Amino acid sequence: MAIRKTFSATISLSAFAVALGSMATPAFAQDADTDEATEAAETTDGNVIIVSGYRASLENAVAEKRRSDLVVESVSAEDIGKLPDASIAESIARLPGLTSQRLSGRSNSISIRGFSPDFSTTLLNGREQTTTGDNRAVEYDQYPAEVINQVNVYKTPMASLVGQGLSGTVDLRTIRPLDAGKTIFSIGARGSYADLGKLNVESNDMGYRVNGLIVTQFADNKIGLSLGASYVDEPYQIQEFNAWGYPTTGDGDFVIGGSKSYVTSTQLTRLGLNGTLQFEISPTVTSTLDAFYSDFKDDQIKRGIELPLYWSGAVLQPDTTVENGFVTAGQFNGVKGVGRSDVFQRKAKLYSFGWNTEYEGDDGWNAMLDLSYSKTDRNELSLESNWGTGRGSIGATDNIGFQSGPQGTVFSPMLDYGNFNTMLLTSPQGWGGNQIAPNGDSILGGQDGYYNNRIIKDTIWQARMEVEKEFDGNFFRSLQAGVNFTDRSKSLVPDEYFLGLVANTDGLTSVQVPEQFRLGTTDLTYLGLGPVISYNPLDLLDAGIYKLVPNAYGDVVVKSYSVNEKLLTPYVQLNIASQLGGAELTGNIGVQAAITDQNSSGATAVYLGQLDVPEGCAAAGEPCAPNIGAQFQKFSTSYTNWLPSLNLSLRFDSGFVVRAAAAREIIRPRMDDMRNSLSFGYQFVTLPNGTTVAAVTGSSGNPNLRPWLANAFDLTFEKYFGNKGYLAAQFFYKDLKSYIYNQDVVIPTSDLALASPGEDIVIAPTAVLNIPINGEGGSLYGVEVAGTLPFETFTAALDGFGITGGVSYTKTKISPTPGAPSEDLPGYSKWVANGTAFFEKWGFNARASIRYRSTFVGEVSGFAANRVRRRAAPETIIDAQIGYDFQDGSPLEGLSLFLQGQNLTDEPFVTTNPGDPRQVIDYQTYGRRFMAGFNYKF
């Protein structure tokens, strides 16, 4: 449809440098004819100067930004298949006002304008997508950069943008073969090297990726086909320090309470496939079929030692070094370390299909029908295995010296943790005690590990229709009206077990790792712990050395949930094009309705008494296993939100463009917050009269949650220097009318299915539950300054040199809890800056990129894949690339070579306790990565 093409960039065959070289400016792709026209500029003497590659990409970006009616940032392809970033998120993170959070050294989630990833949405070719995470935020590891042709980030909404987010909307685009207009064949490959080396004994430090793409047309350019593929097999290495926390000593000084530190090796494999088939059925009707498939596997092995220190039976010796109330050095005696060998396997398959048919009539009438389906099947297995000197009180303890500093804590142990003869499979601390399942299976003397398998399914069906009528008037250009229907379902089912040794029938037994499963030692020298024993716990489980005992407790029952959403979204939009004196006014005004029907299912754990399992109970001398049932419950609600929007752009002949936008913005609640599950327990209080009262406390989801809503205003000022460069200042303000926060609520205990707390114990008449609820939020505002400046604009002597980048400042005044002081949102950084300096001429190209974000509240992954929020330190990431493109006339024309380095300063990821940066919680080092590769296109 003509008007929709105005608002969404089409394909660029020469714009891949934006993502390749760390571009930090808004960029838009072009269709092939525009691209070729832009590459050739005629001088005053009639000669033609050819501009291509990265410089052409920047010029196209400047021209497209100038024409846009929305506040949009974009990355696109300089060359088909020539994008060596580890994930598309690393390219998006270099745009103004955007940043990323790293996971295992990779950028996998995006924050827009100071909001966490949960406040934005991601589309694929304009269609909503399922996710590999627990909620709505897309994890961009799933999308290979090589099969994505373009990414548009819409910072302001419009009525015809379906699936919009509150902070922004990310639209991933694949190539349209008929728009390309010519046959293209592209292949590429690269090798990668992680300079931390092989941290775990069976891990790798080198990997590779390959990609290919073919675009062609048939039947007189009436049929177009594109097929793309990308395969990745790359390792990532991490050195991790983690502190339990920092309690105070008897003298009031902070000291490390315990640590859990690892070396982690990850092997990432990912197959990405995409295809598009286009038919020009008639001069007025075009039909397009899209398919995308991703098979993602992330295999991790984590080895280290968990050291219970001040929060244990270990004794802090009096000879310590204290600096300003913080113990920086000392020694703990009687430390019983818990060796850890943990496996984390994440597998996800994503399927996405779409069919679109467009009619563009000669009489001003246009129409569109779009049908799509997206599905993600995800499985996450976390397996924890413990080892040490003996079970519980059996076995040697250690005397460990320590030094705490800005990189965490380094230890000086006395024991050799790499000795397979003295380090045994066991439960060193006896954590978990005796566990007896309802079927009589038991684990005695402490669990030897834990097995947690999480099964997640996510599906989306979407259908959309739209009609447009173009006008001949001089103010309104056209009217669009449409309706979209989305049906989404997401479910989580946990499968959890205690892990125990088959040989431990008396609660005292520990065993050596059998020789056939010994893999040598893993070096923890960076922590001062030296070598530790290494084995794969999955091999021991498969061999029958370990057994699984079901965890039937209520906290597992309530983790399972299912959420279904049905959204009907009608909209109407008037598009504007008019002359105002010497200026041109364009834009749109419209309204969208979000008619929502949401359903949530979950469970409440119900105590059904004790099971009589004589064999298990008698053998352990323990009470019989509790009989925990589930009371399933379902809740439905419906509501409507109206979302008006206005976008105006005023363009002057002098190169100035002023944009203004106002809109009601929306994002739906987190899906785990919407779960209809309730968990609770007793806290026993003894009154002065001697009576014992059972106070009921717990937590719950809220299936009645409404979305976040904000009134948003944008104002931007832009100055363009032809199509070569620009400077822009973008101001924005968001007033959150609805915010979701957690609050304690009081309900009658008579509403709950409670077990007896014990004889002569009275249950309190009311219960306190912590649940997410809707309330007012606050405001968030800021400014983004961005620009692209080729130095040839100022002097011909610097032809080929230039810079591009942006800086953003965001201020928040949001109080998640009513009456409390305002605090930072997750993912919020006050300052975000990025920039790229480049040179490109005679086939040579060189780029250096830097991106910075100030401190933020980050989400890190804990055991069992739960998310934990921590204060993260500022980050500065530096990348660089050099390359050569063989020129026209060369026998190797079409071949491009490159060498790239990522995270060249080895920037760590650091989190600390709020208010005291000396209390380091996480210190993760990812190392540098180097890539060398080629791309060949003809």
Side-chain angles (χ1 to χ4, degrees):
M1 303 176 67
I3 188 65
R4 287 173 46 246
K5 291 182 179 177
T6 304
F7 295 110
S8 63
T10 52
I11 302 305
S12 172
L13 299 182
S14 67
F16 230 174
V18 179
L20 228 191
S22 318
M23 178 175 175
T25 186
F28 286 72
Q30 310 291 307
D31 49 305
D33 294 339
T34 305
D35 192 32
E36 292 170 359
T38 305
E39 291 182 3
E42 188 170 329
T43 63
T44 54
D45 58 6
N47 295 324
V48 174
I49 300 174
I50 302 298
V51 180
S52 60
Y54 187 60
R55 294 166 62 194
S57 171
L58 293 179
E59 291 188 9
N60 291 339
V62 171
E64 193 65 38
K65 182 176 179 66
R66 186 173 183 174
R67 288 192 295 266
S68 174
D69 288 326
L70 300 179
V71 180
V72 183
E73 318 291 357
S74 179
V75 291
S76 53
E78 173 196 7
D79 242 343
I80 298 299
K82 187 180 174 185
L83 183 58
D85 282 334
S87 78
I88 197 71
E90 293 177 354
S91 303
I92 302 172
R94 299 181 181 114
L95 296 172
L98 279 71
T99 189
S100 68
Q101 183 174 332
R102 293 182 291 169
L103 176 68
S104 299
R106 308 185 302 271
S107 296
N108 83 320
S109 61
I110 294 297
S111 295
I112 302 175
R113 286 183 163 176
F115 286 92
S116 76
D118 291 321
F119 287 87
S120 62
T121 56
T122 298
L123 314 176
L124 180 63
N125 293 318
R127 302 166 180 131
E128 296 176 63
Q129 296 298 296
T130 54
T131 63
T132 55
D134 287 350
N135 292 290
R136 305 177 191 279
V138 163
E139 297 179 342
Y140 291 94
D141 279 346
Q142 199 72 21
Y143 295 94
E146 294 87 351
V147 301
I148 300 298
N149 185 63
Q150 176 195 0
V151 183
N152 294 323
V153 181
Y154 299 95
K155 293 182 176 177
T156 58
M158 59 183 175
S160 60
L161 180 62
V162 174
Q164 60 188 258
L166 189 145
S167 62
T169 307
V170 180
D171 190 11
L172 310 178
R173 312 295 298 188
T174 56
I175 195 169
R176 291 290 177 261
L178 289 184
D179 293 343
K182 56 186 177 183
T183 297
I184 303 166
F185 179 74
S186 173
I187 57 173
R190 84 174 191 186
S192 63
Y193 170 70
D195 77 341
L196 281 182
K198 303 175 182 180
L199 295 184
N200 279 285
V201 288
E202 75 278 32
S203 65
N204 302 311
D205 59 1
M206 301 185 70
Y208 69 95
R209 66 171 58 194
V210 293
N211 61 275
L213 178 74
I214 184 169
V215 181
T216 189
Q217 299 80 30
F218 308 96
D220 258 352
N221 291 327
K222 305 296 184 185
I223 301 176
L225 174 68
S226 69
L227 297 171
S230 171
Y231 182 75
V232 174
D233 189 349
E234 290 184 327
Y236 290 82
Q237 305 285 350
I238 314 166
Q239 293 177 333
E240 302 180 59
F241 165 81
N242 174 262
W244 289 2
Y246 294 85
T248 55
T249 67
D251 296 327
D253 302 318
F254 290 102
V255 67
I256 185 170
S259 76
K260 182 173 63 176
S261 302
Y262 302 96
V263 291
T264 300
S265 299
T266 294
Q267 193 71 27
L268 171 67
T269 58
R270 180 187 60 208
L271 173 64
L273 303 172
N274 78 289
T276 299
L277 182 63
Q278 273 189 298
F279 298 88
E280 185 180 305
I281 299 174
S282 71
T284 59
V285 179
T286 301
S287 190
T288 304
L289 293 171
D290 287 301
F292 177 81
Y293 170 76
S294 176
D295 186 352
F296 176 93
K297 297 179 182 178
D298 187 359
D299 291 327
Q300 289 188 9
I301 184 73
K302 303 167 78 74
R303 295 194 176 100
I305 306 176
E306 194 161 3
L307 297 174
L309 299 172
Y310 197 84
W311 278 323
S312 74
V315 179
L316 177 63
Q317 300 304 292
D319 187 16
T320 59
T321 302
V322 180
E323 297 180 6
N324 297 323
F326 184 76
V327 179
T328 59
Q331 179 172 307
F332 285 97
N333 288 354
V335 177
K336 192 74 180 294
V338 180
R340 298 285 295 270
S341 186
D342 299 351
V343 167
F344 177 75
Q345 293 184 340
R346 189 179 201 204
K347 300 177 181 179
K349 292 185 178 182
L350 187 151
Y351 310 83
S352 183
F353 304 96
W355 174 52
N356 178 276
T357 298
E358 291 190 357
Y359 167 79
E360 295 187 13
D362 298 328
D363 56 356
W365 284 96
N366 305 312
M368 178 269 289
L369 172 66
D370 192 275
L371 304 174
S372 65
Y373 172 73
S374 178
K375 176 185 178 182
T376 297
D377 292 329
R378 180 170 123 241
N379 182 272
E380 290 183 354
L381 171 63
S382 298
L383 175 60
E384 173 189 318
S385 169
N386 301 331
W387 52 267
T389 59
R391 187 171 301 275
S393 60
I394 302 171
T397 60
D398 201 355
N399 298 331
I400 298 181
F402 69 93
Q403 290 186 321
S404 297
Q407 297 183 3
T409 301
V410 177
F411 302 97
S412 303
M414 303 294 293
L415 294 180
D416 178 7
Y417 291 95
N419 189 333
F420 279 96
N421 296 320
T422 57
M423 296 298 150
L424 312 174
L425 300 173
T426 190
S427 179
Q429 291 281 338
W431 288 335
N434 296 337
Q435 299 292 343
I436 307 173
N439 63 3
D441 288 345
S442 62
I443 289 176
L444 308 179
Q447 64 194 57
D448 300 298
Y450 198 76
Y451 180 101
N452 183 1
N453 191 27
R454 307 170 78 242
I455 303 165
I456 300 98
K457 295 186 179 296
D458 194 359
T459 60
I460 294 178
W461 293 92
Q462 189 172 5
R464 180 176 178 180
M465 296 179 61
E466 181 182 286
V467 177
E468 178 187 20
K469 176 61 172 120
E470 298 176 356
F471 303 131
D472 295 329
N474 61 359
F475 189 80
F476 290 115
R477 182 177 54 192
S478 69
L479 171 67
Q480 290 173 257
V483 62
N484 180 85
F485 176 74
T486 301
D487 186 343
R488 180 172 191 171
S489 297
K490 191 158 193 168
S491 65
L492 166 64
V493 177
D495 190 20
E496 301 188 23
Y497 300 83
F498 299 107
L499 193 71
L501 288 168
V502 173
N504 178 33
T505 59
D506 57 3
L508 303 173
T509 302
S510 305
V511 300
Q512 292 184 1
V513 178
E515 289 191 8
Q516 65 268 34
F517 299 113
R518 298 179 182 182
L519 300 175
T521 59
T522 295
D523 190 6
L524 269 67
T525 300
Y526 79 101
L527 293 169
L529 295 173
V532 300
I533 65 171
S534 300
Y535 60 92
N536 188 327
L538 281 174
D539 294 340
L540 302 183
L541 180 61
D542 293 339
I545 295 169
Y546 283 129
K547 66 178 178 180
L548 299 177
V549 173
N551 183 348
Y553 287 97
D555 61 335
V556 176
V557 173
V558 299
K559 291 179 183 177
S560 181
Y561 68 87
S562 175
V563 175
N564 175 256
E565 303 169 331
K566 293 181 173 65
L567 277 78
L568 185 67
T569 310
Y571 61 89
V572 61
Q573 177 175 303
L574 277 167
N575 300 294
I576 299 168
S578 179
Q579 289 295 129
L580 292 181
E584 180 186 12
L585 177 68
T586 63
N588 55 75
I589 183 171
V591 64
Q592 180 184 108
I595 305 170
T596 304
D597 178 17
Q598 66 187 36
N599 302 272
S600 178
S601 299
T604 299
V606 179
Y607 179 77
L608 302 177
Q610 292 289 122
L611 284 180
D612 185 12
V613 190
E615 293 182 3
C617 301
E622 295 285 338
C624 291
N627 186 8
I628 305 294
Q631 178 179 309
F632 292 97
Q633 49 207 18
K634 184 176 181 179
F635 182 87
S636 300
T637 188
S638 58
Y639 52 87
T640 300
N641 293 112
W642 294 94
L643 309 173
S645 61
L646 171 68
N647 292 276
L648 297 174
S649 296
L650 189 62
R651 298 176 174 84
F652 298 90
D653 293 338
S654 59
F656 280 101
V657 177
V658 179
R659 307 184 198 278
R664 168 65 65 93
E665 298 177 340
I666 190 173
I667 191 70
R668 292 188 50 71
R670 289 174 60 106
M671 285 187 152
D672 54 358
D673 282 345
M674 295 169 61
R675 71 191 189 280
N676 195 9
S677 300
L678 170 64
S679 60
F680 49 82
Y682 293 123
Q683 290 184 353
F684 297 97
V685 179
T686 301
L687 302 178
N689 62 6
T691 303
T692 301
V693 176
V696 181
T697 61
S699 63
S700 172
N702 184 355
N704 197 35
L705 279 180
R706 300 300 196 262
W708 282 277
L709 292 171
N711 292 335
F713 305 91
D714 285 76
L715 181 64
T716 74
F717 301 91
E718 302 162 0
K719 168 61 179 176
Y720 291 87
F721 309 101
N723 284 339
K724 292 184 179 294
Y726 82 98
L727 293 173
Q730 301 175 168
F731 301 87
F732 65 91
Y733 176 84
K734 295 182 186 292
D735 179 20
L736 270 73
K737 308 309 294 182
S738 173
Y739 190 84
I740 296 173
Y741 61 91
N742 280 63
Q743 186 180 64
D744 288 337
V745 298
V746 178
I747 66 170
T749 52
S750 58
D751 293 347
L752 303 175
L754 297 171
S756 171
E759 189 176 353
D760 298 327
I761 298 179
V762 178
I763 299 177
T766 57
V768 178
L769 301 180
N770 186 263
I771 66 172
I773 66 172
N774 289 103
E776 293 189 4
S779 61
L780 185 141
Y781 53 92
V783 59
E784 301 159 350
V785 179
T788 295
L789 290 176
F791 293 162
E792 64 188 87
T793 305
F794 309 107
T795 172
L798 295 177
D799 181 35
F801 291 92
I803 57 173
T804 180
V807 178
S808 66
Y809 172 83
T810 306
K811 182 69 174 177
T812 178
K813 289 185 177 179
I814 295 176
S815 301
T817 303
S822 62
E823 60 183 68
D824 292 352
L825 293 168
Y828 163 75
S829 289
K830 183 178 291 187
W831 291 96
V832 172
N834 42 54
T836 298
F838 64 88
F839 171 77
E840 185 175 73
K841 198 172 185 181
W842 309 303
F844 292 99
N845 58 78
R847 280 161 242 165
S849 172
I850 183 171
R851 51 191 170 101
Y852 167 82
R853 67 179 304 182
S854 59
T855 179
F856 63 100
V857 176
E859 285 192 333
V860 298
S861 181
F863 183 71
N866 60 305
R867 292 290 180 175
V868 180
R869 292 179 179 177
R870 301 227 175 93
R871 167 64 62 181
E875 289 184 343
T876 302
I877 312 297
I878 297 176
D879 306 322
Q881 175 180 300
I882 58 173
Y884 182 75
D885 301 330
F886 288 89
Q887 301 296 285
D888 294 347
S890 167
L892 297 177
E893 177 185 344
L895 177 64
S896 300
L897 305 176
F898 64 86
L899 175 66
Q900 187 181 58
Q902 294 180 340
N903 192 26
L904 293 177
T905 59
D906 192 12
E907 184 78 352
F909 174 74
V910 183
T911 70
T912 60
N913 266 343
D916 193 344
R918 299 174 303 172
Q919 298 182 27
V920 177
I921 300 296
D922 296 286
Y923 193 96
Q924 299 182 6
T925 302
Y926 307 121
R928 303 168 183 83
R929 296 183 64 82
F930 298 96
M931 285 76 68
F934 76 91
N935 187 77
Y936 183 57
K937 187 187 78 171
F938 60 89

